[in-house]
C-alpha cells in the first residue's frame, strides 16, 4: 500500500488501523496530495492491489503532531475557562472532520437546540440534525452528511462533528471522541457547569435550522 501511494505521488503522513478481524483490516491513511491533482491515478493504483477496497477519499487537515490527544488535554488544563471551545476547535483536525459545534440541548425538549460555538470551516447557517438520543454515536444526516456526537455534562451540551463525501464515522472514531469529551470533563471538574453556562450567555446563540 505504501509503495503504491508513493508511486502515485502521495506522501503518507499518518496511518491508523480502525478495525482488524478475520484476516482483514480497515486502515485509515492520511496523505499529502498535490493541490489540484486528479485522484484518478491514486484510485487506480490502490484498486490494483489484490484484496484492497477503497471505502472513501476526502480532504482533511494535516494531523496535529504525533500525540494530538495529549496536547489537547494540556491546552484544556492551561485555559479551563475556554476549555470546551478549545475542544471543539481541535476535534476536526484529530478526527478528520470538516467542522465541530457545541449544541445546547434540553433533554426534556428535543426541539430546543442552540448552536453556541462552531469551529473553523463553518461559513453559513448550519442545518443541525436531530441529536437525540443523547449518547455517543455516529449517524448519517438527511443530506448525506456524516455526523458523530458525544454528550457533555450529562447531555446539557453536545459536541457534534461533521464531514461530507466520506464514510460513516467508525466506532473507533466515536469512541475516541467520547474519550476526548471525558478527558475535558475530568480536567474542568467542578467548573464544567459554569463553563457550559457561559457558552449560552457570553457567546450568544447562532441561528439553528433543523434538517
Amino acid at each position: 500500500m505504501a509503495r503504491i501511494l508513493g508511486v502515485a505521488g502521495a506522501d503518507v503522513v499518518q496511518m491508523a488501523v480502525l478495525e482488524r478481524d478475520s484476516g482483514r483490516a480497515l486502515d485509515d491513511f492520511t496523505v499529502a496530495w498535490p493541490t489540484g491533482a486528479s485522484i484518478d491515478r491514486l484510485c487506480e493504483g490502490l484498486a490494483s492491489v489484490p484484496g484492497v477496497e477503497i471505502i472513501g477519499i476526502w480532504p482533511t487537515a494535516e494531523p496535529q503532531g504525533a500525540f494530538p490527544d495529549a496536547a489537547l488535554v494540556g491546552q484544556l488544563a492551561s485555559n479551563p475557562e475556554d476549555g470546551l471551545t478549545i475542544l471543539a476547535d481541535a476535534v476536526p483536525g484529530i478526527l478528520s472532520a470538516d467542522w465541530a459545534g457545541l449544541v445546547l440541548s434540553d433533554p426534556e425538549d428535543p426541539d430546543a437546540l442552540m448552536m453556541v460555538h462552531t469551529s473553523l470551516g463553518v461559513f453559513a447557517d448550519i442545518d443541525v440534525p436531530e441529536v437525540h438520543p443523547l449518547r455517543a454515536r455516529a449517524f448519517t444526516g438527511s443530506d448525506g452528511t456524516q455526523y458523530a456526537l458525544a454528550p457533555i455534562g450529562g447531555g446539557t451540551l453536545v459536541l457534534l462533528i461533521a464531514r461530507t463525501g466520506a464514510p460513516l464515522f467508525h466506532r473507533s472514531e466515536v469512541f475516541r471522541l467520547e474519550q476526548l469529551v471525558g478527558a475535558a470533563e475530568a480536567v474542568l471538574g467542578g467548573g464544567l457547569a459554569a463553563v457550559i453556562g457561559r457558552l449560552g450567555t457570553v457567546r450568544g446563540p447562532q441561528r439553528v435550522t433543523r434538517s
Side-chain angles (χ1 to χ4, degrees), residues 96-110:
S96 297
D98 294 339
W99 58 266
L102 294 170
V103 181
L104 277 175
S105 173
D106 184 348
E108 298 182 357
D109 185 359

Side-chain angles (χ1 to χ4, degrees), residues 59-70:
T60 187
E62 182 82 13
Q64 303 169 349
F67 306 102
D69 301 46

Side-chain angles (χ1 to χ4, degrees), residues 69-70 72-74 76-77 83-84 87 151-152 175-189 192:
D69 301 46
L72 174 58
V73 171
L76 296 175
L84 294 181
L87 173 67
I152 304 173
F175 179 64
R176 189 177 182 187
L177 178 66
E178 190 176 22
Q179 284 186 313
L180 290 171
V181 167
E185 291 175 330
V187 169
L188 297 179
L192 178 63

Side-chain angles (χ1 to χ4, degrees), residues 93-186:
I94 294 176
L95 292 174
S96 297
D98 294 339
W99 58 266
L102 294 170
V103 181
L104 277 175
S105 173
D106 184 348
E108 298 182 357
D109 185 359
D111 292 325
L113 299 178
M114 182 186 299
M115 183 74 76
V116 293
H117 177 78
T118 56
S119 66
L120 294 176
V122 177
F123 304 103
D125 294 324
I126 300 170
D127 291 335
V128 177
E130 175 58 69
V131 298
H132 296 78
L134 296 177
R135 55 179 174 80
R137 60 189 177 92
F139 61 98
T140 303
S142 59
D143 62 352
T145 300
Q146 302 298 339
Y147 294 100
L149 67 83
I152 304 173
T156 304
L157 192 70
V158 175
L159 177 57
L160 180 72
I161 62 175
R163 64 189 182 199
T164 57
L168 185 71
F169 283 97
H170 190 265
R171 60 177 179 269
S172 64
E173 295 175 302
V174 176
F175 179 64
R176 189 177 182 187
L177 178 66
E178 190 176 22
Q179 284 186 313
L180 290 171
V181 167
E185 291 175 330

